[in-house]
Amino acid sequence: MLRDFGALPTEARAREMKDRDYLWCLVHQLLDREEELSRLCPDCRARAEERHCPVCGRAAEDWGEGEVNPAFDQSRFEQLKGGGGG
């Protein structure tokens, strides 16, 4: 959020913000985004809501292995998660 306002966390204006100030800003950012989307036609709105790379614009479903780790061992994860370390 501070990035949107060009503020560093060490600046007085950022240090003086309370949790409610951050919440207020976040809610209004969400409302602004919804207002922007509401002005689009249905096709453009659907495209705008899709996940895509912010650099090249490629759709998330085209990323391939970036969303799935083929080396991930789900059974080992479950074993460790349950506290069975060996």
Short mmCIF file of all heavy atoms in Angstrom, two decimals, residues 6-34:
data_model
loop_
_atom_site.label_atom_id
_atom_site.label_comp_id
_atom_site.label_asym_id
_atom_site.label_seq_id
_atom_site.Cartn_x
_atom_site.Cartn_y
_atom_site.Cartn_z
N GLY A 6 3.86 6.10 -2.75
CA GLY A 6 5.24 6.54 -2.85
C GLY A 6 5.83 6.90 -1.51
O GLY A 6 6.58 7.87 -1.39
N ALA A 7 5.49 6.12 -0.48
CA ALA A 7 5.97 6.41 0.87
C ALA A 7 6.83 5.26 1.38
O ALA A 7 6.56 4.10 1.09
CB ALA A 7 4.79 6.63 1.80
N LEU A 8 7.84 5.60 2.13
CA LEU A 8 8.67 4.60 2.79
C LEU A 8 8.12 4.35 4.19
O LEU A 8 7.57 5.26 4.82
CB LEU A 8 10.11 5.08 2.88
CG LEU A 8 10.85 5.26 1.56
CD1 LEU A 8 12.20 5.93 1.80
CD2 LEU A 8 11.02 3.93 0.87
N PRO A 9 8.28 3.15 4.72
CA PRO A 9 7.78 2.85 6.07
C PRO A 9 8.41 3.73 7.14
O PRO A 9 7.83 3.91 8.21
CB PRO A 9 8.16 1.39 6.29
CG PRO A 9 8.43 0.83 4.95
CD PRO A 9 8.85 1.96 4.08
N THR A 10 9.57 4.28 6.86
CA THR A 10 10.25 5.12 7.86
C THR A 10 9.78 6.57 7.85
O THR A 10 10.14 7.33 8.75
CB THR A 10 11.77 5.08 7.61
OG1 THR A 10 12.03 5.47 6.26
CG2 THR A 10 12.33 3.69 7.86
N GLU A 11 9.00 6.96 6.84
CA GLU A 11 8.52 8.34 6.78
C GLU A 11 7.48 8.60 7.87
O GLU A 11 6.73 7.70 8.24
CB GLU A 11 7.89 8.63 5.41
CG GLU A 11 8.88 8.67 4.29
CD GLU A 11 8.22 8.99 2.96
OE1 GLU A 11 7.31 9.86 2.95
OE2 GLU A 11 8.59 8.38 1.96
N ALA A 12 7.46 9.82 8.33
CA ALA A 12 6.53 10.18 9.41
C ALA A 12 5.08 9.90 9.03
O ALA A 12 4.31 9.37 9.83
CB ALA A 12 6.70 11.65 9.79
N ARG A 13 4.70 10.22 7.79
CA ARG A 13 3.30 10.01 7.38
C ARG A 13 2.94 8.53 7.40
O ARG A 13 1.80 8.18 7.68
CB ARG A 13 3.03 10.62 6.01
CG ARG A 13 3.83 10.02 4.88
CD ARG A 13 3.59 10.74 3.57
NE ARG A 13 4.48 10.22 2.54
CZ ARG A 13 4.12 10.07 1.29
NH1 ARG A 13 2.90 10.39 0.91
NH2 ARG A 13 4.98 9.61 0.41
N ALA A 14 3.88 7.65 7.13
CA ALA A 14 3.61 6.22 7.18
C ALA A 14 3.60 5.72 8.62
O ALA A 14 2.75 4.91 9.00
CB ALA A 14 4.65 5.46 6.38
N ARG A 15 4.51 6.21 9.44
CA ARG A 15 4.56 5.79 10.85
C ARG A 15 3.32 6.24 11.60
O ARG A 15 2.90 5.59 12.57
CB ARG A 15 5.81 6.33 11.52
CG ARG A 15 7.08 5.63 11.09
CD ARG A 15 8.25 5.96 12.01
NE ARG A 15 8.31 7.36 12.40
CZ ARG A 15 9.12 8.27 11.85
NH1 ARG A 15 9.93 7.92 10.88
NH2 ARG A 15 9.12 9.51 12.28
N GLU A 16 2.73 7.33 11.20
CA GLU A 16 1.55 7.86 11.90
C GLU A 16 0.26 7.13 11.52
O GLU A 16 -0.75 7.28 12.20
CB GLU A 16 1.40 9.35 11.61
CG GLU A 16 2.51 10.19 12.21
CD GLU A 16 2.49 11.63 11.72
OE1 GLU A 16 1.60 12.00 10.92
OE2 GLU A 16 3.39 12.38 12.11
N MET A 17 0.31 6.33 10.46
CA MET A 17 -0.90 5.61 10.05
C MET A 17 -1.23 4.52 11.04
O MET A 17 -0.37 3.82 11.55
CB MET A 17 -0.72 5.01 8.65
CG MET A 17 -0.73 6.04 7.55
SD MET A 17 -0.60 5.34 5.90
CE MET A 17 -2.17 4.53 5.74
N LYS A 18 -2.52 4.39 11.31
CA LYS A 18 -3.02 3.36 12.20
C LYS A 18 -3.61 2.23 11.36
O LYS A 18 -3.79 2.38 10.15
CB LYS A 18 -4.08 3.94 13.12
CG LYS A 18 -3.54 5.04 14.04
CD LYS A 18 -4.64 5.60 14.90
CE LYS A 18 -4.17 6.63 15.90
NZ LYS A 18 -3.03 7.40 15.68
N ASP A 19 -3.88 1.11 11.98
CA ASP A 19 -4.46 -0.03 11.27
C ASP A 19 -5.72 0.38 10.52
O ASP A 19 -5.94 -0.04 9.39
CB ASP A 19 -4.78 -1.17 12.23
CG ASP A 19 -3.53 -1.86 12.74
OD1 ASP A 19 -2.44 -1.66 12.14
OD2 ASP A 19 -3.63 -2.60 13.74
N ARG A 20 -6.54 1.20 11.15
CA ARG A 20 -7.79 1.62 10.49
C ARG A 20 -7.52 2.44 9.23
O ARG A 20 -8.28 2.40 8.28
CB ARG A 20 -8.68 2.38 11.47
CG ARG A 20 -8.13 3.72 11.88
CD ARG A 20 -9.11 4.52 12.76
NE ARG A 20 -8.56 5.79 13.09
CZ ARG A 20 -8.09 6.11 14.29
NH1 ARG A 20 -8.10 5.23 15.27
NH2 ARG A 20 -7.60 7.30 14.51
N ASP A 21 -6.41 3.18 9.21
CA ASP A 21 -6.05 3.96 8.02
C ASP A 21 -5.69 3.03 6.86
O ASP A 21 -6.09 3.27 5.72
CB ASP A 21 -4.88 4.90 8.31
CG ASP A 21 -5.20 5.92 9.39
OD1 ASP A 21 -6.37 6.38 9.44
OD2 ASP A 21 -4.30 6.24 10.18
N TYR A 22 -4.93 1.97 7.17
CA TYR A 22 -4.58 1.00 6.14
C TYR A 22 -5.83 0.29 5.63
O TYR A 22 -5.98 0.07 4.44
CB TYR A 22 -3.57 -0.02 6.67
CG TYR A 22 -2.18 0.54 6.79
CD1 TYR A 22 -1.67 0.93 8.03
CD2 TYR A 22 -1.38 0.70 5.67
CE1 TYR A 22 -0.39 1.44 8.13
CE2 TYR A 22 -0.10 1.21 5.77
CZ TYR A 22 0.38 1.59 7.01
OH TYR A 22 1.65 2.10 7.09
N LEU A 23 -6.72 -0.07 6.54
CA LEU A 23 -7.96 -0.73 6.16
C LEU A 23 -8.79 0.19 5.26
O LEU A 23 -9.32 -0.23 4.24
CB LEU A 23 -8.75 -1.15 7.39
CG LEU A 23 -10.08 -1.84 7.13
CD1 LEU A 23 -9.88 -3.12 6.34
CD2 LEU A 23 -10.80 -2.11 8.44
N TRP A 24 -8.90 1.45 5.62
CA TRP A 24 -9.68 2.42 4.84
C TRP A 24 -9.10 2.52 3.42
O TRP A 24 -9.83 2.48 2.44
CB TRP A 24 -9.64 3.78 5.54
CG TRP A 24 -10.52 4.80 4.89
CD1 TRP A 24 -11.83 5.07 5.16
CD2 TRP A 24 -10.14 5.73 3.86
NE1 TRP A 24 -12.28 6.08 4.36
CE2 TRP A 24 -11.27 6.51 3.56
CE3 TRP A 24 -8.96 5.97 3.17
CZ2 TRP A 24 -11.25 7.50 2.59
CZ3 TRP A 24 -8.94 6.96 2.21
CH2 TRP A 24 -10.08 7.71 1.94
N CYS A 25 -7.77 2.61 3.32
CA CYS A 25 -7.13 2.71 2.01
C CYS A 25 -7.37 1.45 1.19
O CYS A 25 -7.67 1.53 -0.01
CB CYS A 25 -5.63 2.94 2.17
SG CYS A 25 -5.20 4.59 2.74
N LEU A 26 -7.23 0.30 1.81
CA LEU A 26 -7.43 -0.96 1.10
C LEU A 26 -8.85 -1.09 0.59
O LEU A 26 -9.07 -1.46 -0.57
CB LEU A 26 -7.08 -2.13 2.01
CG LEU A 26 -7.27 -3.51 1.39
CD1 LEU A 26 -6.39 -3.68 0.17
CD2 LEU A 26 -6.98 -4.59 2.42
N VAL A 27 -9.81 -0.78 1.41
CA VAL A 27 -11.22 -0.86 0.99
C VAL A 27 -11.47 0.06 -0.19
O VAL A 27 -12.12 -0.33 -1.17
CB VAL A 27 -12.16 -0.52 2.17
CG1 VAL A 27 -13.59 -0.30 1.68
CG2 VAL A 27 -12.12 -1.62 3.21
N HIS A 28 -10.94 1.25 -0.14
CA HIS A 28 -11.17 2.18 -1.25
C HIS A 28 -10.42 1.77 -2.51
O HIS A 28 -10.90 2.01 -3.62
CB HIS A 28 -10.84 3.61 -0.81
CG HIS A 28 -11.94 4.19 0.01
ND1 HIS A 28 -13.03 4.80 -0.55
CD2 HIS A 28 -12.14 4.19 1.34
CE1 HIS A 28 -13.86 5.17 0.39
NE2 HIS A 28 -13.34 4.81 1.56
N GLN A 29 -9.27 1.13 -2.37
CA GLN A 29 -8.60 0.59 -3.56
C GLN A 29 -9.45 -0.50 -4.20
O GLN A 29 -9.57 -0.56 -5.43
CB GLN A 29 -7.23 0.03 -3.19
CG GLN A 29 -6.17 1.07 -2.98
CD GLN A 29 -4.82 0.45 -2.65
OE1 GLN A 29 -4.74 -0.61 -2.04
NE2 GLN A 29 -3.76 1.13 -3.06
N LEU A 30 -10.02 -1.36 -3.38
CA LEU A 30 -10.89 -2.41 -3.91
C LEU A 30 -12.13 -1.82 -4.58
O LEU A 30 -12.55 -2.28 -5.65
CB LEU A 30 -11.30 -3.38 -2.79
CG LEU A 30 -10.17 -4.22 -2.21
CD1 LEU A 30 -10.65 -4.97 -0.97
CD2 LEU A 30 -9.61 -5.17 -3.24
N LEU A 31 -12.71 -0.81 -3.97
CA LEU A 31 -13.88 -0.16 -4.57
C LEU A 31 -13.52 0.52 -5.89
O LEU A 31 -14.29 0.46 -6.86
CB LEU A 31 -14.49 0.85 -3.59
CG LEU A 31 -15.17 0.26 -2.37
CD1 LEU A 31 -15.55 1.36 -1.39
CD2 LEU A 31 -16.38 -0.57 -2.75
N ASP A 32 -12.35 1.16 -5.93
CA ASP A 32 -11.90 1.80 -7.17
C ASP A 32 -11.70 0.78 -8.28
O ASP A 32 -12.09 1.00 -9.42
CB ASP A 32 -10.60 2.58 -6.95
CG ASP A 32 -10.78 3.83 -6.11
OD1 ASP A 32 -11.94 4.26 -5.92
OD2 ASP A 32 -9.76 4.36 -5.62
N ARG A 33 -11.12 -0.37 -7.92
CA ARG A 33 -10.91 -1.43 -8.91
C ARG A 33 -12.24 -1.95 -9.43
O ARG A 33 -12.41 -2.16 -10.64
CB ARG A 33 -10.10 -2.57 -8.26
CG ARG A 33 -9.98 -3.82 -9.09
CD ARG A 33 -8.98 -3.68 -10.19
NE ARG A 33 -8.81 -4.99 -10.82
CZ ARG A 33 -8.59 -5.16 -12.09
NH1 ARG A 33 -8.44 -4.12 -12.88
NH2 ARG A 33 -8.47 -6.36 -12.60
N GLU A 34 -13.20 -2.15 -8.53
CA GLU A 34 -14.52 -2.62 -8.95
C GLU A 34 -15.20 -1.59 -9.86
O GLU A 34 -15.84 -1.95 -10.85
CB GLU A 34 -15.39 -2.92 -7.73
CG GLU A 34 -16.71 -3.55 -8.06
CD GLU A 34 -16.58 -4.88 -8.80
OE1 GLU A 34 -15.63 -5.64 -8.55
OE2 GLU A 34 -17.45 -5.15 -9.66
#
